Amino acid sequence: MFMRKPFIIIGCLMVLLFSMMSAVQAGTLPQPDSQGYTLLPPITDMIMNFCRSTGLFSFLSSGIGNNFKGIGQFFMIGVGILLLYLAISKKFEPLLLIPIGFGAILTNTPLASMSDPGGALYYIYTIGIKTGVFPLLVFMGVGAMTDFGPLLANPKTLLLGAAAQVGIFITLVGALILSEIVPGIHFSLLDAASIGIIGGADGPTAIFLSSQLAPHLLGPIAVAAYSYMALVPLIQPPIMRALTTVDERKIRMEQMRHVGKVEKMIFPLSVLGLCVLLLPTAAPLIGFFMFGNLMRECKVVDRLSETAQNALINIVTILLGLGVGAQLSAHQFLNLSTLGILFLGCIAFSIGTASGILMAKLMNLFFKTKINPLIGSAGVSAVPMAARVSQKVGMEADPQNFLLMHAMGPNVAGVIGSAVAAGVLLTLKSLAI
Amino acid sequence: MIVQGLKLTMLGMMVVSSFLVLLLIIIHLSAKLLKPYTEKEASLVTSHRPSGIREETPPDDNRKLTAIISAAIAAHRARIGRYRAP
């Protein structure tokens, strides 16, 4: 008896809804009279017109003859809610996933057209992301937060940062192989390059590159990059344990030397100089990164440095997240390519981790001073999560072994390495034109 | 297309490696050139330390303590998000 009541109520509501929908289909719009004034229709038509402008009607009606657009939007709102859940409950990159998840909900709100020309999200995307400005401003803030001291104290760790970039390029080839063998997936060389950069484990770099090379894949690539960055503590440890012995994990590294202020100040200018001479296509990323770092290290513009690493980066992060969320529309996200991107992203992270560790082991064969191979995995960027994972896995083998500061070296080297790799991939843009 | 990808992989890894190896050389050179400044700075830092602590603590414990403090500082910074790259 108690169970029947809700069914009767739901049944009545459904009948009411469908009768309203069929009436709304036949509803009339207000017509202007001969003097140009709009005469309001009868009250029943007004109610019907209002019903036609509800989200519920759009979700259900467009599903009938419009390529399941309404259902797609409904599903994408679900994806947005899932991202919010992961960010809030599981603490998966909440700084980015909350704006992205909310942006996804807003952009898929029926009839609001927020990501169509004229909508707020459209302008946020067009002004900030399509032009590449927001990722670069974030990169400037990251530069202002980064201390290159551990890298300068042990510059050999640059090689670990270089090795971990193998993941980017192998994933690029993997994307091309996938598009050859899987029907329904068609990645061009530019698409594959944008997918490969997920292996760089650097959000702003991935967004910048895909906005330049494959804007139609920006949403899935950003979601994959940030999701896997959040999953670094789950993806990396099994690979790290599989590729190292207990004795290797116990290797204690030497105390770092003191790095002078002048050294730290000259470093960003040296990197920029090298970039100008060898790879000008990487200058936007490297330039903004090093500009932020110079502001930090020169110690004469503390106000600017504080702004870049706090207020500015926070504002831009909100807008960047909303802009990326605006790209999570049903027709761009709900396809086989997204599944391919998510799969390749995981491969990219795993290969990057493995190649960093293997490089550290190789270096131990040639150098007198031993390196704990666990810090090699931090070469994939994902600052500072990857360095913390090295510390955690190292402490499992030897609780007195503190690898965190040593792992920060390859970690920041990975950021430079992925920016350089992005610069190489950006040369494709000119080739494509 | 796959062959093009392989070509790009070769070029990309060559450029990334050479860029970072050159950077490694530049860091070594600048560290050597700026050694007098760095040593002066390091000695200033050491001279500002209270002398009693160093004498009383055995060198091994001191090293351990430094490692613990640096790890704690780094963990704290990481927790408050100063190093977090969004």
Side-chain angles (χ1 to χ4, degrees):
Chain A
M1 193 65 185
F2 287 112
M3 293 300 288
R4 278 171 61 187
K5 237 181 181 177
F7 284 113
I8 294 167
I9 294 167
I10 292 168
C12 288
L13 281 172
M14 292 292 279
V15 170
L16 187 68
L17 182 71
F18 281 106
S19 56
M20 275 169 75
M21 277 170 60
S22 50
V24 166
Q25 301 279 10
T28 52
L29 289 166
Q31 296 295 321
D33 68 356
S34 55
Q35 290 174 330
Y37 294 109
T38 304
L39 295 174
L40 289 174
I43 187 74
T44 47
D45 284 355
M46 281 172 70
I47 293 170
M48 293 307 160
N49 285 336
F50 173 75
C51 290
R52 193 156 46 183
S53 66
T54 59
L56 192 61
F57 177 82
S58 295
F59 285 139
L60 295 170
S61 66
S62 57
I64 298 162
N66 196 8
N67 286 338
F68 299 99
K69 188 185 171 194
I71 299 294
Q73 285 178 321
F74 186 72
F75 187 81
M76 285 311 295
I77 287 178
V79 171
I81 292 168
L82 176 71
L83 293 178
L84 290 180
Y85 168 76
L86 292 174
I88 296 166
S89 184
K90 303 283 176 190
K91 306 274 187 297
F92 281 7
E93 294 289 336
L95 287 175
L96 253 295
L97 285 191
I98 287 179
I100 290 177
F102 216 88
I105 295 173
L106 292 178
T107 200
N108 287 291
T109 303
L111 307 173
S113 306
M114 291 183 76
S115 53
D116 293 338
L121 293 179
Y122 171 81
Y123 289 113
I124 290 175
Y125 170 74
T126 311
I127 294 167
I129 297 178
K130 209 172 175 185
T131 55
V133 172
F134 285 168
L136 294 180
L137 289 176
V138 171
F139 225 48
M140 183 177 77
V142 174
M145 290 178 195
T146 304
D147 177 12
F148 283 111
L151 174 69
L152 295 173
N154 190 5
K156 273 185 298 192
T157 53
L158 274 167
L159 300 176
L160 302 176
Q165 308 315 314
V166 170
I168 295 178
F169 295 101
I170 291 188
T171 308
L172 184 156
V173 178
L176 294 173
I177 293 172
L178 205 66
S179 70
E180 290 279 327
I181 59 172
V182 178
I185 292 183
H186 304 288
F187 293 133
S188 67
L189 195 59
L190 297 184
D191 296 344
S194 305
I195 295 165
I197 203 70
I198 297 173
D202 197 318
T205 308
I207 294 172
F208 180 76
L209 190 77
S210 49
S211 71
Q212 303 297 308
L213 297 185
H216 59 286
L217 295 178
L218 178 68
I221 286 174
V223 168
Y226 282 109
S227 305
Y228 287 126
M229 274 161 68
L231 290 173
V232 156
L234 296 179
I235 297 172
Q236 286 194 323
I239 302 167
M240 292 160 83
R241 288 188 202 106
L243 293 178
T244 52
T245 62
V246 179
D247 287 339
E248 282 173 333
R249 295 202 284 273
K250 281 182 180 169
I251 293 176
R252 289 197 180 194
M253 293 181 65
E254 279 182 6
Q255 181 82 31
M256 286 184 197
R257 72 170 175 91
H258 175 81
V259 178
K261 268 193 259 177
V262 189
E263 267 182 272
K264 283 187 178 179
M265 212 161 57
I266 283 180
F267 179 72
L269 295 171
S270 314
V271 180
L272 184 63
L274 204 56
C275 175
V276 169
L277 291 175
L278 295 183
L279 195 64
T281 46
L285 284 166
I286 297 270
F288 272 77
F289 189 45
M290 293 303 151
F291 172 50
N293 191 252
L294 183 67
M295 285 197 287
R296 173 200 171 92
E297 298 300 348
C298 71
K299 308 284 181 199
V300 290
V301 284
D302 283 346
R303 277 167 52 193
L304 301 188
S305 171
E306 285 291 318
T307 306
Q309 56 184 294
N310 292 301
L312 183 61
I313 198 170
N314 290 341
I315 293 167
V316 178
T317 300
I318 293 170
L319 297 174
L320 183 76
L322 285 174
V324 170
Q327 294 306 295
L328 293 181
S329 58
H331 73 278
Q332 280 178 324
F333 197 84
L334 298 179
N335 51 49
L336 209 56
S337 301
T338 303
L339 283 179
I341 290 169
L342 291 173
F343 167 72
L344 289 163
C346 188
I347 300 286
F349 267 67
S350 308
I351 294 174
T353 303
S355 47
I357 293 168
L358 293 175
M359 177 54 121
K361 289 175 76 143
L362 186 71
M363 282 165 71
N364 279 344
L365 296 178
F366 296 101
F367 292 114
K368 213 191 296 174
T369 324
K370 297 289 175 203
I371 291 174
N372 190 315
L374 293 178
I375 70 164
S377 65
V380 295
S381 312
V383 184
M385 191 80 86
R388 272 193 263 167
V389 171
S390 301
Q391 160 80 6
K392 193 172 159 267
V393 179
M395 283 184 85
E396 283 171 12
D398 176 6
Q400 297 296 315
N401 199 1
F402 299 98
L403 294 173
L404 189 67
M405 290 315 285
H406 297 286
M408 285 308 287
N411 216 189
V412 293
V415 180
I416 300 175
S418 53
V420 174
V424 176
L425 296 175
L426 273 171
T427 55
L428 287 176
K429 199 180 168 190
S430 55
L431 291 177
I433 294 164
Chain B
M1 194 75 101
I2 295 168
V3 177
Q4 303 223 4
L6 288 170
K7 274 194 226 166
L8 192 61
T9 301
M10 292 264 288
L11 175 78
M13 276 319 292
M14 267 164 56
V15 174
V16 172
S17 312
S18 4
F19 190 98
L20 294 181
V21 167
L22 279 171
L23 199 58
L24 173 67
I25 295 166
I26 290 173
I27 293 173
H28 270 300
L29 282 176
S30 65
K32 268 191 184 166
L33 288 172
L34 300 168
K35 204 174 178 184
Y37 296 100
T38 312
E39 277 176 355
K40 200 174 155 189
E41 210 178 285
S43 63
L44 274 173
V45 171
T46 324
S47 66
H48 278 95
R49 276 186 198 149
S51 54
I53 296 172
R54 283 191 73 193
E55 283 159 16
E56 284 164 16
T57 324
D60 189 40
D61 274 12
N62 205 7
R63 222 176 51 207
K64 204 183 282 176
L65 192 68
T66 315
I68 291 168
I69 291 167
S70 17
I73 290 169
H76 172 71
R77 281 181 178 163
R79 193 164 51 82
I80 62 168
R82 281 182 65 82
Y83 283 89
R84 193 175 195 88

